[in-house]
Amino acid sequence: MDKIIVSDSIVKSFGVGRERRNVLDGVSVDIGAGEFVAIMGPSGSGKTTLLFALSGMDSVDSGSVVFDGEDLSRLGDDALADVRRKKMGFVFQQPTLLKNLNVLDNVILPSVRDGTLSALQINEKARALMKMAGIEELETRGVGQASGGQLQRVGICRALMGDPKVIFGDEPTGALNSTSAGEIMDLLADVHRTGTTVVLVTHDVRVATKAERVLFIFDGKIAGAHEAGRYDAACDDVDARQQALATWLAEMGF
Amino acid sequence: MGMLYRLIRNDVLRSTAVTLTTMLFVAAAALLVALAATLVVNLAGAIDTMMTRAKTPHFMQMHAGHLDRERLAAFADGNDAVADFQVLEFLNLDGSQFVFAGGSLAASVQDNGLSVQSERFDFLLDLDGNVIAPSDGHIYVPITYMQDGTARVGDTVRVAGTPLTIAGPLRDSQMQPLLSSSKRFLVSRDDFADIEPFGSMEYLIEFRLHDLAALGAFQAAYVAAGLEANGPTLTYPLFRLINGLSDGLMIAVILLISVLVIAIAFLCIRFTLQAKIEDDYREIGVMKSIGMRVGDIKRIYLAKYAFVAAVGCALGYALSFSLQEPLLANIRLYMGESDSASWAPFLGLLGVATVFLAITAFVYLALGRFHRIPAAEAIRFGVSQEAPSGGRRVRLSTNQRLGANAFLGLKDVLVRRKLFATMLIVLVLTAFIIIMPRSLHHTISSKSFITYMGVGETDLRFDVQQTDRIADRTAEIAAALEGDDAVSAFVVLTTKAFEARSSDGSEVRIVVELGDHSVFPLTYASGRAPTGDHDIALSALSAGDLGTGVGDVLQVMVGGQARDLTVSGIYSDVTNGGKTAKATFTDDGAATMWSVVGVELTDASLASAKAAQYGARFDFAKVSAMDDFVAQTYGPTLRAVGTASYAAVGISLVISALITLLFMRMLIAKDRYAIAVLKSLGFTASDIKTQYLVRSVFVLALGVVLGTLLANTLGESLAGAVIGAFGASSFAFVVDPLEAYLIAPALMALSVLLATVFGTLDAGTIRVSESIRE
Ligand SMILES: Nc1ncnc2c1ncn2[C@@H]1O[C@H](COP(=O)(O)OP(=O)(O)OP(=O)(O)O)[C@@H](O)[C@H]1O
Ligand SMILES: [Mg+2]
């Protein structure tokens, strides 16, 4: 399998003087193209920091991250922005939408900036994505007039507008009830099925059950990896899969 | 108390730049208000003190020609209102008769002449305010000539050949301002008698009244008695007005600027408060939900701004003491010390206190919004939910051609209208302060401006007065001009006095300038120039006296018969005491008081040379080039307005840059989250800077357009009011399109856009990883 992200001994530290400590302490993670990887670990262990490092959203102190063949630490700010716009999509724990814009405008914003598609293509694509996400009727609503789950779906549509190679999710379902969370996860599973790589930070075992591989991070280090194989709703036994993961996590001390 | 102190200190520390800027504007406002107050007290006081010491006449009639002293004395005796009466002599000398070390006064447009010290009133004073008693061989010179370097103490001046030593400057309570066209030099009685044969005598018939309120009635009685009146009539209020005019203008400008600075200080406060309330929206909601009283919260903010205002006001007041000296210097020199000067600091303090109270009241009112924050909503949404109705229709999906950056910038301005309104108002005000004074300066320095002041636009002007054969001599001049190829047009205007009947039926004497008034027309406040034998145009002051308006009929005795003249127009005039009239009819029976010949040359640049040439040929006439006349009479005022206008441009540019910078810093601080979101979506640092530039350009364009419109409408009326102080009642801006519509906007754009670029340099360097977690 081709690697889309190759990282080697990432070190990232915060704080100054005696307070300074390594939040990421020599992490090496490779992610295959089209893979679905879940990252789990206790609160404060460095999951979000790792996600930011892998996506070039934040610089690293040492080590390297190669994304789709490009060494991110060698790219300038503008080149990083281009990579982010053309090859990545982000979904955060809280919906990060601009409250000045209505729902549709939020979705199309990065594509309009990118300028590769025509206005007509952009609008059509956005409407198709929103239909898929089940939020087509929200189009002209303001951001303040939609529920949390709906907004999270808006965020996913926005992340998908540029046909990204990788979607990063930082607990996108963390703030939602289980029904909403399930729907969001189904949406991400659909995206994965079309060939998009998904890297997802989560606390939720049920969510991680659908991942091909689960990484456990503890105190800034990868403490272990659980290979579950590609999930197929038709033939896999979800409960068994979840049981196996839970057992492994318990071993890891989760 | 301790907690309040800590809250204020923390808040001030957190927003140092904004707090300091606000304090700065408050200080500037307090400084200007204190200065204006101090100057008003000193100016008014100094004028009164000077006019009291000099015992300025309440009524003065200048007269050339035969004088019947007995008849005048009898009139004074018989009139109960008269407290004192005298006739002073003023020996009119041609400017070339005064030869100073550096040259003569030949080019002076003033009527220069000699006087002796009066014995009863209308004294000429030294710089200490004492009545001067000149000794033989000494001469005292009007301050103006000492100021412009013409005369120096100790030098010798030859007056009509007689050498006199300059003993010092003199203060003249009535003829001192440049606007007054005569200048008195003071010599001893013996020297006066020696020089008398070289000049022509003019008489100043002067009265002091028991009660100044009786002036109007006295004036009417003087006219009714048919006494000597071959010359302008001047009164105490007019003396006071022209004495205060140039400094008054300066004070008016300071007041205007201080109003604008106060407005900007208010805007700064409104703006910071608004931003603060938005920032603290959630906290305020929480405080309310746990039962804290809104009054408590308000008190904290009020205390902060009261503190900022107090420090600013104290600073401004203190500064006003060091800055007032140079501004008072002029008043001190020309008018002397004011007896009421000790009041000035108190009035200044009162002005500053008013500023302080206005600011606290303003903050109190602005804080009213706190009451309207619903606790539940504030906690739930964290941000103000006031409907962003603005620009709801403006959608990216239908405006993709704009580009994402331009769209985001514009949309933000539309949505956060209230916030951007503040910046807009500042830019409108600064555009206004840049354009208005420049247009004013351009207007009053344009050649045609004198037509607002009762003077036709000519190249050359001959004044023939104080000779017994005015008509013959004017004809002599006319004949010479007829044969001069360099003259393209000329007109003879003869001034005569007539009896008229005012609207209340009383007999009045009016001074009418007869001739063709269409050749060098004045600008009429209303109506038009007189054309037929039954037309008459009146100066604004005359029309007021007579109680007539355009279209009214005025009965005038012409050639011994009553004739009904229709008022064709009303114009402004500052010449000859301001009470004049113009008509085209002829009356050979009436005596000529003086005449004026206006000349237009084929080549205007020859004016000075021609003036010298004709001046030498017709030594009975005063010949002046119009440009010299304007330069000498209004030059200092023009220069002052010019300097003030450039200062206004500089100050405005600095203010607009400062406010823009502040505004951008504040926006970026507020927008951290949105910027982080955009960056996470792949917007570059320059995308984000572009968006801020779009906001600025949008607000700037709107501000410049509105400011220019405002300057050309409100500014024009405002300038009209200032010009009105000169006696001109109608006024239209002569706008320099290049300057007003190109250079001014370009300068503003430069300062605002540079400030935006500078203020948003680091806008794109926000770290997504930190900001998006918040
Ligand atoms: N900008 C920062 N400055 C200082 N410390 C930071 C900063 N960002 C993160 N940290 C610290 O680094 C550690 C890891 O943070 P990170 O957000 O990656 O944790 P996490 O695994 O995502 O936790 P959670 O599950 O609660 O989201 C935490 O201890 C956090 O306090
Ligand atoms: Mg996290």
Side-chain angles (χ1 to χ4, degrees), chain B residues 156-181:
Chain B
T156 300
V157 52
R158 305 185 79 84
V159 181
T162 309
L164 297 167
T165 305
I166 298 171
L170 69 81
R171 262 191 209 129
D172 186 335
S173 69
Q174 52 153 307
M175 294 184 177
Q176 190 149 271
L178 286 167
L179 275 176
S180 144
S181 59

Side-chain angles (χ1 to χ4, degrees), chain B residues 710-722:
Chain B
L710 208 64
N712 284 340
T713 51
L714 179 72
E716 193 171 48
S717 339
L718 218 68
V722 174

Side-chain angles (χ1 to χ4, degrees), chain A residues 58 84-85 105 113 119 123, chain B residues 396 400 679 682 687 767 769:
Chain A
D58 209 350
R84 215 175 283 150
R85 202 171 58 243
D105 285 357
R113 163 62 184 83
N123 288 346
Chain B
L396 181 58
Q400 291 187 21
K679 283 201 81 181
D687 284 335
R767 298 175 78 105
S769 52

Side-chain angles (χ1 to χ4, degrees), chain B residues 246-281:
Chain B
S246 59
D247 290 296
L249 212 63
M250 174 176 80
I251 294 173
V253 170
I254 291 180
L255 273 176
L256 178 74
I257 296 179
S258 62
V259 167
L260 291 166
V261 170
I262 292 173
I264 289 172
F266 275 19
L267 287 173
C268 263
I269 292 171
R270 183 188 118 99
F271 176 53
T272 34
L273 262 182
Q274 212 171 25
K276 194 89 196 88
I277 290 174
E278 249 168 69
D279 286 350
D280 296 355
Y281 200 79

